[in-house]
DNA sequence: GCAAAAGTGTTCTCGGTACACCCATGG
DNA sequence: CCATGGGTGTACCGAGAACACTTTTGC
């Protein structure tokens, strides 16, 4: 059974929406291999950890947001023999969704940590030149997963603070799908799905226009029927 | 970087449809741990293999169907610290779909290899008592993946031989979803989806009733709009 | 009052469901 | 001719798309 052993790591595609753009958290590498390039946050799995425990721990360490409650799920594993020049390393990609965090990432243990709009990382051919290892592919897979999960789950609420308006929720869909949605049909769709949104007794104040109802996320996780992206 | 190393294995959820039932390929273990129980086929990743290569190789060795062309995709990774009493083993689950194979599994390298209806493995509490390691969970995840992929892809055709009738295809959906479908609406749905089915110039002969058109699978992989399972 | 944003009502259309009905073969 | 399964036509209904219109605030 012995003979071919692997180091096992966890990599995180941490997504948020800032200024109507889907962004991923990247860390600048200051040691070889790929020194100077950007990479996904991650780390090795410790002897008594399960994969999700490693991912949870690293997410707290990288974002400074210690408390749990963020959406975190496994994405896929990557183990090409030559993906790491130091030796045989298998990495288990994960996807994490966080509400828009405070600008300087407080408490993060890595200095060179920053949010990057994914548009420039996934569309352009610049991705592979900019990112270390196969992180460009992992990132692309994570974005695709997030896009498709918005269709048939209530995952979008994970991008929002505890209380939010329908418009904030719509901005999440628009940023992740990179398209616009009809505000009126969107409103009906999400408010008429049982368990998606629970109204609070407060409304947004201080903005121009009619004040919007504030909602909390409800208990539902699935969306029946799904909200399809369409062909754009 | 060294210090916590893993053995890395691949496990296969090999699915087929036999006698209107979804079945999985299981191997009887004759060595500890879990000697005497059934387990998923699988094996360790060799030094220069990527995960899909290991899975492809093991699928050929277990089913005796050497030629490729079967649907094979990664499912998820499992790495609980105590999942294997021999030490730290991470396994990458895969799902494989094969047409109904000849009854005795010719060329398979394991003698105790047999098809088991998944109904008894997933529904009953017998699953964890019958299966080795965490293979009950991997199997359940694989079945769930297959069920949901029938909704929005043309994966069902992978369960069929190269040429098949609409009824054969419907039997696949009915076996995997464990429900019945209206034959007439199903017919229209699949024949009107561009690229799903390509008619051949032959028809089925020798059966009672009107002879059915034979189809080959077309180039389409996605199903727009999806065919939803409904709530049953 | 006017601009802006929230939220409702209405119409059209498309796809799913249910089911009546016709077609083509074996016995 | 009749049973059996293949395949088409059609009516109904629910949901999405498009958009007119009302509501409620800031300025």
């Amino acid at each position: 059974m012995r003979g071919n052993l692997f180091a096992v790591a966890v990599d995180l595609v941490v997504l948020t929406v800032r200024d109507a753009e889907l962004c991923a958290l990247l860390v600048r590498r200051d040691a070889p291999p790929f020194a100077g390039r950007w990479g996904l946050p991650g780390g090795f799995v410790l002897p008594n950890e399960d994969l999700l425990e490693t991912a949870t721990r690293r997410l707290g360490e990288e974002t400074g947001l210690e408390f749990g409650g963020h959406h975190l799920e496994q994405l896929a594993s990557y183990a090409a023999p030559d993906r790491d020049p130091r030796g045989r390393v298998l990495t288990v990609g994960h996807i994490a969704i966080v509400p828009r965090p405070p600008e300087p990432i407080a408490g993060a243990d890595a200095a060179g940590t920053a949010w990057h709009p994914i548009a420039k990382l996934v569309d352009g051919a610049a991705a592979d030149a900019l990112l270390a290892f196969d992180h460009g592919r992992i990132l692309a897979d994570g974005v695709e997963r997030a896009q498709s999960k918005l269709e048939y789950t209530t995952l979008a609420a994970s991008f929002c603070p505890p209380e939010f308006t329908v418009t904030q929720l719509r901005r999440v869909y628009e940023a992740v799908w990179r398209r616009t949605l009809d505000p009126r049909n969107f409103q009906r769709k999400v408010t008429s799905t049982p368990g998606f949104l629970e109204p609070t007794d407060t409304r947004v104040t201080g903005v121009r226009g009619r004040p919007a109802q504030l909602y909390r996320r409800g208990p539902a996780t699935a969306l029946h029927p799904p909200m399809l992206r369409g062909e754009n």
Side-chain angles (χ1 to χ4, degrees), chain A residues 2-168:
Chain A
R2 298 278 162 254
N4 46 321
L5 294 177
F6 288 64
V8 173
V10 156
D11 280 321
L12 294 170
V13 178
V14 187
L15 298 175
T16 199
V17 172
R18 303 191 334 152
D19 307 326
E21 275 193 309
L22 181 63
C23 294
L25 190 69
L26 296 181
V27 179
R28 184 182 284 280
R29 298 181 57 84
D30 44 37
F34 298 101
R37 294 217 208 172
W38 295 91
L40 299 175
F44 290 101
V45 179
L46 300 181
N48 276 301
E49 279 180 329
D50 200 348
L51 301 170
L52 217 47
E53 292 173 345
T54 308
T56 304
R57 171 174 60 80
R58 293 298 298 142
L59 179 61
E61 290 168 0
E62 295 287 354
T63 64
L65 303 169
E66 281 299 339
F67 74 98
H70 299 122
H71 179 86
L72 181 58
E73 69 176 27
Q74 191 186 118
L75 183 59
S77 293
Y78 305 82
D82 58 351
R83 66 175 293 280
D84 190 322
R86 294 168 296 181
R88 202 73 208 264
V89 181
L90 177 148
T91 193
V92 186
H94 287 70
I95 179 173
I97 310 292
V98 300
R100 181 182 173 155
E103 200 45 47
I105 294 153
D109 68 351
T113 299
W115 292 102
H116 292 247
I118 57 94
K120 288 145 193 164
L121 300 174
V122 175
D123 289 357
D128 283 337
L130 187 67
L131 293 175
F133 305 107
D134 48 4
H135 287 184
R137 160 137 288 268
I138 302 175
L139 178 62
D141 290 350
V143 169
E144 169 57 33
R145 172 77 65 96
Q147 287 174 336
S148 66
K149 286 205 95 167
L150 289 208
E151 292 192 322
Y152 57 93
T153 72
T154 61
L155 180 63
S158 298
F159 284 97
C160 296
E163 299 198 341
F164 54 92
T165 65
V166 171
T167 296
Q168 282 179 272

Side-chain angles (χ1 to χ4, degrees), chain A residues 199-210:
Chain A
T200 66
D201 50 5
T202 51
R203 294 171 170 275
V204 163
T205 170
V207 293
R208 64 184 179 281
R210 177 172 168 176

Side-chain angles (χ1 to χ4, degrees), chain A residues 142-227:
Chain A
V143 169
E144 169 57 33
R145 172 77 65 96
Q147 287 174 336
S148 66
K149 286 205 95 167
L150 289 208
E151 292 192 322
Y152 57 93
T153 72
T154 61
L155 180 63
S158 298
F159 284 97
C160 296
E163 299 198 341
F164 54 92
T165 65
V166 171
T167 296
Q168 282 179 272
L169 188 65
R170 179 166 50 83
R171 300 266 183 246
V172 169
Y173 275 89
E174 293 180 333
V176 176
W177 285 351
R178 307 194 65 191
R179 56 167 300 190
T180 58
L181 297 172
D182 186 294
R184 299 156 294 187
N185 292 330
F186 181 85
Q187 173 110 11
R188 240 192 318 255
K189 174 71 181 175
V190 296
T191 55
S192 69
T193 299
F196 194 171
L197 300 181
E198 288 183 343
T200 66
D201 50 5
T202 51
R203 294 171 170 275
V204 163
T205 170
V207 293
R208 64 184 179 281
R210 177 172 168 176
Q213 175 69 251
L214 274 176
Y215 293 89
R216 260 186 291 273
R217 72 180 305 176
T221 58
L223 220 50
H224 284 302
M227 180 161 16

